[in-house]
Structure formats: C-alpha cells, structure tokens
Amino acid sequence: MLNVIIFGPPGSGKGTQSEKIIAKFGLAHISTGDILRAEIKAESPLGKEASQYINRGELVPDATIIGMLENKLSRLSDAKGVIFDGFPRTVEQAKALKEMLKKRNETINVMLNLEVQREELISRLLKRGETSGRSDDNLETIEKRIQVYEDQTSPVIDFYKKEGSYKGIHGEGSVDDIFSRIETAVEA
Ligand code: B4P
C-alpha cells in the first residue's frame, strides 16, 4: 500500500500533480474539492451546504468533510493505495484520517508539501479563473482562501513532521520538473 497526501496552498498544483502521480504509481484519487464540486453540480443537500462555504473561500466544516471522506474510503477495495488531494486541511481532519487508516492497518507513507510563493499562487488562480467558471477563482476569494490556508491549514505541516512522513517540494517551475522532484521524494 502506498498512501500519499498532496498538500499545499490553493493554486500550488495539487490537482495538477495528482494526475501525474496517479498515472505513474496507479493510486486511487480522492480529491475533496472535486467531490464537493460534483455535489454542488448535482444540487444535493451536501452540495447546497458546501457551496456557501466555497463561495466565501472558507473551509467546509470538519464533520461534513470527515464523514464524506470516510464514506469514499470505505468504497475503495483493491486499490494499490490512495492519493489524498486537498485533504486533510485541518489538524482535526489529519487526526481523523490517521484513525480511519489505522482501522485498515494502513498509514500515510508520505506527505508532499508543495511550496509556492503567494504572488505565484494568485497569478495561477486568476489565470485559471479566466476559463474555470469556478465561483472561488476571483481575487477577493483567492486572497481569503490563502488567509484561511495560513490560519487553519498550515498547522497540518507540523502534524506530519511529527509523524515523520513530511517532505517539502519546491512547487515552482515546469509541471514536469516539479513531478521529477515528487518522484524522487516518493521513491526515497
Ligand atoms: P480544491 O479543489 O482542493 O482547490 P485548490 O486548493 O484551489 O487546489 P486545486 O487542486 O484545484 O488547484 P491546483 O493547485 O492544482 O478546494 C476548493 C475548495 O473546496 C476549498 O477552498 C474549500 O472551500 C473546499 N474544500 C476542499 N477540500 C476541503 C477540506 N478537506 N476541508 C474543508 N474544505 C475543503 O492548480 C491551480 C492552477 O495552477 C491550475 O490552473 C493549474 O493549471 C495551475 N498550475 C499547476 N501547476 C502549475 C505550474 N507548475 N506552473 C504554472 N501553473 C500551474
């Protein structure tokens, strides 16, 4: 089993690098952002709840996200491992993930933190906003998402440093160069 977390601020390339990691290592993909956007599109009760938070650039409450993740994980049977993309985003979520994996006799093998400067994050997300149609890809919401990341999500870094699975990855440059750094970190 290879369980990987891809972590970093909004716009750091989590979704982009996840696709390459899946192609190379054959992992199942769990992206909480993608699941939430699918629920919003389906106009489900979960989607209706989540859209209020996402539109404001805030985190969806832990209890909702943890329940959603537990449900998704229980449906995975014969995967070689999982890439967790956009989860955990709080220390509470990290603790819940640890417990969920423990019940399966599994653990997180590596936590990859994509390190990208604030100006680069804003420029990438504004560029994506030109075509994405995402309600959260506008300057005001992007700035709020970065602030929320700094306040509520960045403490997750220390959690995984203590767990011994943390790897910092320089997240600027070409997508392929960043992926080479990831391959080296995962194979180490
Ligand atoms: P996410 O969908 O996870 O959104 P994100 O942080 O913007 O990352 P994403 O994966 O989309 O972008 P990427 O960095 O790959 O979450 C959206 C919202 O859902 C959150 O704000 C929150 O409200 C809610 N949510 C999700 N998970 C949650 C949780 N666990 N708890 C609570 N709430 C949760 O890429 C960004 C752009 O950069 C792309 O356009 C890409 O093409 C470009 N890019 C990538 N690599 C590049 C490179 N090397 N050079 C130039 N551009 C690059």
Side-chain angles (χ1 to χ4, degrees), residues 6 8-18 29 31-37 40 50-62 64-66 68-69 85-90 93 114 116 120-121 123-129 131-132 134 136-137 141 145 148-149 152-153 171-178:
I6 186 110
S12 55
K14 299 184 291 287
T16 308
Q17 295 297 331
S18 287
H29 187 205
S31 159
T32 43
D34 286 352
I35 300 171
L36 293 169
R37 282 185 289 277
I40 291 170
S51 69
Q52 301 169 33
Y53 295 97
I54 292 178
N55 293 345
R56 293 197 295 259
E58 293 170 5
L59 295 182
V60 176
D62 283 338
T64 305
I65 294 286
I66 291 166
M68 190 179 93
L69 206 283
D85 166 5
F87 177 92
R89 261 179 159 93
T90 63
Q93 293 180 16
L114 293 170
V116 179
E120 172 72 10
L121 299 173
S123 118
R124 285 184 191 179
L125 292 172
L126 284 176
K127 187 161 173 236
R128 182 172 71 186
T131 53
S132 68
R134 273 177 58 165
D136 55 350
D137 280 347
T141 314
R145 285 157 68 197
V148 166
Y149 169 83
Q152 298 176 46
T153 303
E172 295 186 34
S174 77
V175 170
D176 286 340
D177 285 348
I178 297 163

Side-chain angles (χ1 to χ4, degrees), residues 142-178:
I142 291 166
E143 286 181 333
K144 170 77 186 204
R145 285 157 68 197
I146 294 174
Q147 189 61 47
V148 166
Y149 169 83
E150 283 165 6
D151 296 343
Q152 298 176 46
T153 303
S154 65
V156 172
I157 292 174
D158 271 345
F159 181 90
Y160 287 101
K161 281 187 176 165
K162 287 188 192 130
E163 294 281 304
S165 48
Y166 177 87
K167 293 266 170 78
I169 304 285
H170 178 46
E172 295 186 34
S174 77
V175 170
D176 286 340
D177 285 348
I178 297 163

Side-chain angles (χ1 to χ4, degrees), residues 3-149:
N3 291 320
V4 179
I5 292 171
I6 186 110
F7 184 89
S12 55
K14 299 184 291 287
T16 308
Q17 295 297 331
S18 287
E19 286 176 26
K20 299 186 80 75
I21 296 170
I22 291 158
K24 164 92 196 212
F25 297 100
L27 305 180
H29 187 205
I30 300 187
S31 159
T32 43
D34 286 352
I35 300 171
L36 293 169
R37 282 185 289 277
E39 296 285 343
I40 291 170
K41 206 170 164 204
E43 298 182 5
S44 69
L46 170 57
K48 282 179 187 153
E49 182 198 350
S51 69
Q52 301 169 33
Y53 295 97
I54 292 178
N55 293 345
R56 293 197 295 259
E58 293 170 5
L59 295 182
V60 176
D62 283 338
T64 305
I65 294 286
I66 291 166
M68 190 179 93
L69 206 283
E70 225 159 11
N71 182 13
K72 188 83 184 170
L73 201 58
S74 69
R75 287 160 198 237
L76 287 183
S77 46
D78 53 356
K80 289 186 199 163
V82 178
I83 176 140
F84 296 93
D85 166 5
F87 177 92
R89 261 179 159 93
T90 63
V91 172
E92 264 326 292
Q93 293 180 16
K95 288 181 184 164
L97 178 61
K98 188 176 175 180
E99 288 308 309
M100 278 182 239
L101 291 176
K102 206 169 166 187
K103 287 186 194 145
R104 300 161 65 97
N105 286 319
E106 292 175 31
T107 183
I108 290 296
N109 302 92
V110 60
M111 188 271 208
L112 303 164
N113 178 30
L114 293 170
E115 296 159 343
V116 179
Q117 297 293 315
R118 182 190 166 87
E119 291 66 34
E120 172 72 10
L121 299 173
I122 294 174
S123 118
R124 285 184 191 179
L125 292 172
L126 284 176
K127 187 161 173 236
R128 182 172 71 186
E130 289 167 13
T131 53
S132 68
R134 273 177 58 165
S135 60
D136 55 350
D137 280 347
N138 59 76
L139 186 58
E140 192 188 339
T141 314
I142 291 166
E143 286 181 333
K144 170 77 186 204
R145 285 157 68 197
I146 294 174
Q147 189 61 47
V148 166
Y149 169 83

